[in-house]
Amino acid sequence: MTTSESAVITSVFVANRGEIARRVFRTARALGLSTVAVHSTADSLMPYVDEADAAVHLPGNAPGDTYLRGELVIEAALRAGADAVHPGYGFLSENAGFAQAVIDAGLIWIGPPVDAISSMGSKIEAKKLMAAAGVPVLAELTPAEVSAADLPVLVKASAGGGGRGMRVVSRLEDLPHEIEAASAEALSAFGDGTVFCERYLASGRHIEVQIMADQHGTIWAVGERECSIQRRHQKVVEEAPSPLVERIPSMRAELFDAARKAAAAIGYVGAGTVEFLADEAGSFYFLEMNTRLQVEHPVTEETTGLDLVELQLAVAAGARLPAEPPPTVGHAIEVRLYAEDPTNDWQPQTGRLHRFGVGVDRVFGRKVAPSDHNLPESGPTRVRVDSGVVDGSEVSPYYDAMLAKVIVWSPERTAAARRLAAELARATIHGVGTNRDLLGWILRHPAFLAGDTDTGFFERHGIGVPVDPAVGQVSALAAALADAAGRVRGVRVPSGWRNVPSQPQRKSYRVGETTHEVAYRLTRDGLVVEDNVQLVSHLPERVVLEVDGVRRTFEVAAYDGLVCVDSSLGSVALTPVERFTDPSQQVSAGSLLAPMPGVVTRVGVQVGDEVKQGQPLLWLEAMKMEHTISAPADGVVGELTVEAGQQVEVGAVLAVVEEDA
């Protein structure tokens, strides 16, 4: 790559937070550039802030008060002496007005031209531009013209992304309500409530092409990615190359040609992604163009050896790209690890992350590198973790619930999936629930391994992760024995030991809605519990048991109100059940509690209204998602304790639905 003298970057300001800020800082440091972070009050102790050479505080927590305040962000960059702004993804990364303001302030914008951002900012106008450029598109439907023959349709927000303002509609009578809901969500998320409809392909494949273009007319199509496995219209698993494209010989060349046409049509410069929806025959249609770096960019880096952030910086400084990008080698798979509660409809979780060890060997303490960007033609499997959190980090309600991206490269796809599933299983994650087990289940699923990964994956195969009650029971026993060892550390006679037969020791733990009660006695002959369990050793942090003749080690970590047990059987988070209930913690029957801290965006009922089971009563926005609070049973709204715009804490009573007399 050759560089012109058009611009010199010495200090990079990242107008973002968390994982992507750490990612950009990593490359900037490697290039000898200084780094500047910006942070809200809630983010003041996050690792990316400490890792920057300088940091500027924006008072407040909500994005609308901090990261979305373009004028404050630019003022922070100028105050810190930065000469370039990298927007990351999300927040203001695709805001043309912000990009222009950065340039007007005399700063280098590490992104595409303002006109290119504007032209792709409206999905409606973007589709018209792409059609004119010869890129295949799905016909747009205005909400008023949708008929029964068009169903199912997808209602989409014209601005923004990430699944916000998106609804699948299968019944014509549901369309007005879903349009209203999608528009309200889009207005809240992006400041633009415009929505449109298009034909919904229930089993399509989500294929995207990474674009990199310089200021001198060179446009690269840097491989494709497949991101078809999605939940709530948000990507869960991403991989490169695409299994579908690998099966259809002519499809890659056609995709790359369409992506380059799309970039050329708007004079694109920098890193971007052209997204398509494809069918099993290889036909594909333009969805949108993301005028920024994508969350899933690591799989492209791992299969090409490129550092896309380094290329962004070089192109912004005026560098020329070589005529052709490097070829792709091997296969990379990325999963998004979210803080979620699998026992409560995968609701986002908040709270302290006591321990976070992903890509770390439990025995040897081995740590993986984020990426080496030095791609051999063949070689051992590589593991990469891009994370915004560390031990002790606080998962707040104000931002996205993603903890990390875990990526594995291997010469062969099945080997990559197998290694990634194993890394997730070995991870130590204490303090919040996660989708870790769901991700492992996907990676081991026969349909995934066969490359059958369209957007209907969860509809066909389900989304629940089977839970073996026996694992919870033996983990609860290990927790009880570790607790007993901890209470008598230094005392020679273990808790529960009796010289003569006596009543067993009893403890109860809850996992989701399941309560595990364990009863044991420690005698001169050892542990008496069940015929198939023998105690080998027990310490406050480690219990070794023989179960059905198989020895297993259980690592036990106790926190306030939480016990985490990790073993080869899986990781189990246990809540100790107190013998006596605190009356102050009890609530009235029919109370609807806030599942997490958030803001009440809408209230759909009044006191005295009759409601049916499952009827939406109010809507709570938290962690970039809108959550519907529904009636638990038929009844009457007896109490309504909140109003629109009110901030609530987790566990707060929002309303009470009383039985209709």
Side-chain angles (χ1 to χ4, degrees), residues 13-18 21 37-44 46 48-49 56-74 87 90-93 98 396 398-399:
F13 177 95
V14 177
N16 218 294
R17 62 176 300 277
V38 64
H39 66 92
S40 66
T41 302
D43 279 342
S44 59
M46 293 299 281
Y48 81 95
V49 178
V56 181
H57 175 219
L58 298 183
N61 291 320
D65 298 327
T66 53
Y67 301 107
L68 291 176
R69 291 283 301 276
E71 74 282 6
L72 298 182
V73 171
I74 293 171
F91 293 138
L92 295 168
S93 62
F98 175 67
S396 81
Y398 303 105
Y399 316 112

Side-chain angles (χ1 to χ4, degrees), residues 102 109 131 183 208 214 268 281 359 361 371 434 460 524 529 533-534 536 546 585 599 629 648:
V102 168
W109 170 247
S183 179
E208 58 189 36
D214 65 20
Y268 201 80
D361 192 288
S371 175
T434 72
R460 284 197 310 280
R524 65 175 66 248
V529 53
V533 179
Q534 297 294 322
V536 178
E546 236 180 53
Q585 300 299 314
V599 176
I629 309 298
V648 296

Side-chain angles (χ1 to χ4, degrees), residues 477-487 538-543 556:
L477 174 60
L481 293 171
D483 178 64
R487 284 188 282 109
H538 70 311
L539 296 170
E541 299 84 18
R542 176 177 291 194
V543 174
V556 182

Side-chain angles (χ1 to χ4, degrees), residues 66-377:
T66 53
Y67 301 107
L68 291 176
R69 291 283 301 276
E71 74 282 6
L72 298 182
V73 171
I74 293 171
E75 192 275 332
L78 293 171
R79 194 188 332 160
D83 47 39
V85 173
H86 193 298
Y89 50 70
F91 293 138
L92 295 168
S93 62
E94 295 180 280
N95 186 306
F98 175 67
Q100 185 62 60
V102 168
I103 296 168
D104 291 344
L107 298 165
I108 299 170
W109 170 247
I110 305 173
V114 173
D115 288 345
I117 299 174
S118 297
S119 61
M120 293 293 104
S122 164
K123 293 184 177 67
I124 295 173
E125 295 306 314
K127 292 178 72 170
K128 294 177 181 177
L129 275 172
M130 293 301 103
V135 179
V137 299
L138 282 171
E140 175 201 338
L141 301 169
T142 62
E145 67 185 9
V146 174
S147 66
D150 298 315
L151 299 175
V153 296
L154 186 64
V155 180
K156 296 177 69 174
S158 181
R164 305 297 301 273
M166 192 176 291
R167 301 287 193 280
V168 177
V169 181
S170 300
R171 302 191 312 164
L172 206 57
E173 58 267 34
D174 295 335
L175 188 60
H177 168 72
E178 295 295 351
I179 287 173
E180 180 183 358
S183 179
E185 187 176 3
L187 183 63
S188 172
F190 315 122
D192 183 349
T194 306
V195 298
F196 66 99
C197 301
E198 65 184 17
R199 183 164 57 95
Y200 178 63
L201 301 182
S203 58
R205 307 285 285 246
H206 189 117
I207 313 293
E208 58 189 36
V209 179
Q210 176 69 55
I211 288 293
M212 180 63 70
D214 65 20
Q215 300 175 26
H216 312 284
T218 300
I219 301 174
W220 281 359
V222 195
E224 86 283 345
R225 301 184 285 258
E226 180 158 345
C227 315
S228 298
I229 297 183
Q230 302 179 11
R231 180 164 50 87
R232 298 172 180 148
H233 306 294
Q234 293 182 319
K235 300 165 187 174
V236 177
V237 181
E238 300 111 345
E239 57 182 311
S242 158
L244 175 66
V245 177
E246 289 280 272
R247 289 204 302 265
I248 302 175
S250 63
M251 188 175 178
R252 180 167 291 123
E254 294 172 359
L255 273 170
F256 286 7
D257 181 61
R260 285 189 292 261
K261 284 181 179 177
I266 59 173
Y268 201 80
V269 174
T273 300
V274 187
E275 301 195 356
F276 300 95
L277 189 64
D279 60 26
E280 292 296 328
S283 297
F284 57 87
Y285 309 93
F286 173 83
L287 281 177
E288 61 183 349
M289 185 172 183
N290 294 126
T291 54
R292 54 172 168 80
L293 196 66
Q294 290 278 91
V295 177
E296 57 272 22
H297 75 273
V299 293
T300 297
E301 294 184 326
E302 294 302 312
T303 51
T304 61
L306 294 171
D307 183 329
L308 293 176
V309 174
E310 181 178 354
L311 289 176
Q312 283 186 295
L313 293 166
V315 165
R320 290 179 179 271
L321 295 171
E324 297 293 334
T328 60
V329 178
H331 202 97
I333 304 175
E334 170 184 296
V335 293
R336 302 190 188 189
L337 185 66
Y338 283 100
E340 297 179 321
D341 183 359
T343 67
N344 186 25
D345 193 30
W346 306 96
Q347 294 278 7
Q349 292 280 283
T350 61
R352 183 168 297 278
L353 194 60
H354 299 295
R355 289 186 63 188
F356 186 74
V358 181
V360 178
D361 192 288
R362 284 180 183 158
V363 177
F364 297 106
R366 169 188 56 84
K367 293 186 177 181
V368 302
S371 175
D372 55 20
H373 296 301
N374 221 347
L375 193 64
E377 287 299 314

